[in-house]
Amino acid sequence: MPSRLQKLGIAPGQALADTYYVAGATAIVVSIVCHLGLREKCDATATRNETSTRPTSSWQRWVASMSSIPEVFKLGVSDPSLGLGLLASFVARSSSVGISLFIPLFVNADVCNHPAQDVRDVKEHCRKAYVIAAQLSGVSQLFALVFAPIFGYLPCRRQRVNVTLTLATLSGVGGYVGFAKLNSSTVTPVLILTVALLGISQIGIIVASLSLVSHFVLDDGGPVGQKLVVDHNSMANSEEAPLLPAATFETHEHLKGTVAGIYSFAGSVAILILTKVGGVLFDHLGPQAPFYLLALFNSALFLATCGYNALDWHRLRRLK
């Protein structure tokens, strides 16, 4: 859009500002449409939030929704599935920043290390850095697109989420460490392989984190950390009554909106932290420093995934 506006005779700076104005206005229109179109629907099958007990006024609904925020944070600490999903959201968003922001900065820093002789050389160097950065980002997103259906299929069963997240974090650690070890942005097969690993890691963590959060909210099959609820009211003094009370796993569907908000909040925190800390490290330690930081994030998520796998394996073994 900025280039199209410049062709209309608008100055480059003003064209960029107008682009942001258009994007902001579009966001406002979309939010209004969503507010009007996504009406609240009462779930007649809900067991925890009966229609008769739901808050009636807007103020009561707002207070009820705000009171659920501390509950979700507590569950994020006590429930391994939700906690791992929120941590994965943090790492996924930080990976997006690493690919879209720090790869172009790395390329630009490498190209600028070769001083230009005149203005024409400066323009050519800038164009070369832009082309290389676009190529690397494109390769990364291409591999993310190719592996998206694969990672989308794997978590269909909850146990496969562990495999997806493990493979994605290992790809991230290898890709970011490999990229940080490079001394040049010259396009080589090794460089293509590293950015491909970054794209695979990014899409894998995104899909796995969404799957973990979805299982936490909706799954009633008893994932790790979910509470078993025994319905003693199901026992009646009759011959047809069951010998044992009905037992089901408690779901958290009534918290799905709050969980979605906290999930996005975790990703937003990652963006703020990585842009600030990564930028400082880039300026003081070198262009490779942000990639080591991202490798550290992926390593922490890998260790958390291993712990989650151990808990899940212990639970399945105990059920047998």
Side-chain angles (χ1 to χ4, degrees):
M1 182 176 290
S3 61
R4 289 181 177 272
L5 293 177
Q6 290 180 46
K7 291 179 180 179
L8 298 177
I10 302 177
Q14 187 60 41
L16 183 61
D18 291 343
T19 301
Y20 281 105
Y21 289 141
V22 172
T26 304
I28 293 175
V29 172
V30 172
S31 65
I32 294 174
V33 173
C34 292
H35 176 73
L36 296 176
L38 300 177
R39 297 293 185 178
E40 182 180 6
K41 297 180 180 180
C42 296
D43 188 3
T45 61
T47 57
R48 297 193 57 177
N49 293 325
E50 298 293 338
T51 306
S52 58
T53 61
R54 294 173 67 90
T56 55
S57 66
S58 300
W59 171 254
Q60 289 176 329
R61 288 196 297 268
W62 186 84
V63 172
S65 63
M66 291 298 103
S67 63
S68 64
I69 294 178
E71 181 179 358
V72 172
F73 276 111
K74 292 179 181 178
L75 288 171
V77 176
S78 61
D79 190 287
S81 180
L82 178 60
L84 186 62
L86 296 179
L87 179 60
S89 172
F90 181 95
V91 177
R93 288 293 185 90
S94 63
S95 297
S96 300
V97 175
I99 294 173
S100 62
L101 177 62
F102 288 110
I103 286 181
L105 283 176
F106 176 88
V107 174
N108 187 70
D110 178 64
V111 173
C112 289
N113 283 334
H114 303 85
Q117 299 298 325
D118 55 27
V119 177
R120 288 176 297 179
D121 290 340
V122 171
K123 292 182 178 180
E124 183 62 28
H125 275 70
C126 293
R127 181 179 180 278
K128 180 182 178 181
Y130 173 80
V131 170
I132 294 176
Q135 289 175 344
L136 298 181
S137 299
V139 169
S140 175
Q141 298 306 317
L142 174 62
F143 275 85
L145 179 65
V146 171
F147 277 82
I150 300 174
F151 285 127
Y153 170 75
L154 285 178
C156 289
R157 295 182 180 179
R158 188 179 57 81
Q159 288 77 10
R160 293 179 180 173
V161 179
N162 311 354
V163 178
T164 303
L165 202 51
T166 302
L167 293 176
T169 51
L170 287 176
S171 298
V173 173
Y176 285 114
V177 172
F179 196 94
K181 291 291 186 180
L182 296 175
N183 297 321
S184 173
S185 61
T186 304
V187 179
T188 61
V190 176
L191 181 58
I192 295 298
L193 176 61
T194 55
V195 295
L197 290 175
L198 300 186
I200 294 171
S201 171
Q202 180 189 15
I203 193 63
I205 296 175
I206 290 174
V207 173
S209 63
L210 289 172
S211 181
L212 282 167
V213 173
S214 299
H215 283 306
F216 168 80
V217 172
L218 301 176
D219 193 2
D220 61 353
V224 176
Q226 206 170 62
K227 182 181 178 182
L228 183 66
V229 179
V230 179
D231 185 10
H232 295 282
N233 295 327
S234 62
M235 299 184 66
N237 296 324
S238 63
E239 295 181 357
E240 292 81 7
L243 296 177
L244 296 176
T248 58
F249 285 94
E250 179 186 10
T251 63
H252 304 93
E253 191 171 357
H254 64 293
L255 296 173
K256 57 186 177 182
T258 308
V259 170
I262 300 300
Y263 176 88
S264 299
F265 173 77
S268 301
V269 171
I271 294 175
L272 294 175
I273 292 178
L274 186 64
T275 51
K276 179 62 177 179
V277 178
V280 172
L281 294 176
F282 185 96
D283 292 336
H284 292 83
L285 298 181
Q288 295 86 359
F291 300 99
Y292 283 117
L293 180 61
L294 286 164
L296 181 63
F297 287 170
N298 279 264
S299 300
L301 181 58
F302 173 74
L303 294 177
T305 305
C306 291
Y308 180 86
N309 293 343
L311 287 175
D312 204 16
W313 177 81
H314 179 70
R315 180 188 67 86
L316 293 175
R317 185 180 179 183
R318 188 171 53 184
L319 290 176
K320 293 179 180 179

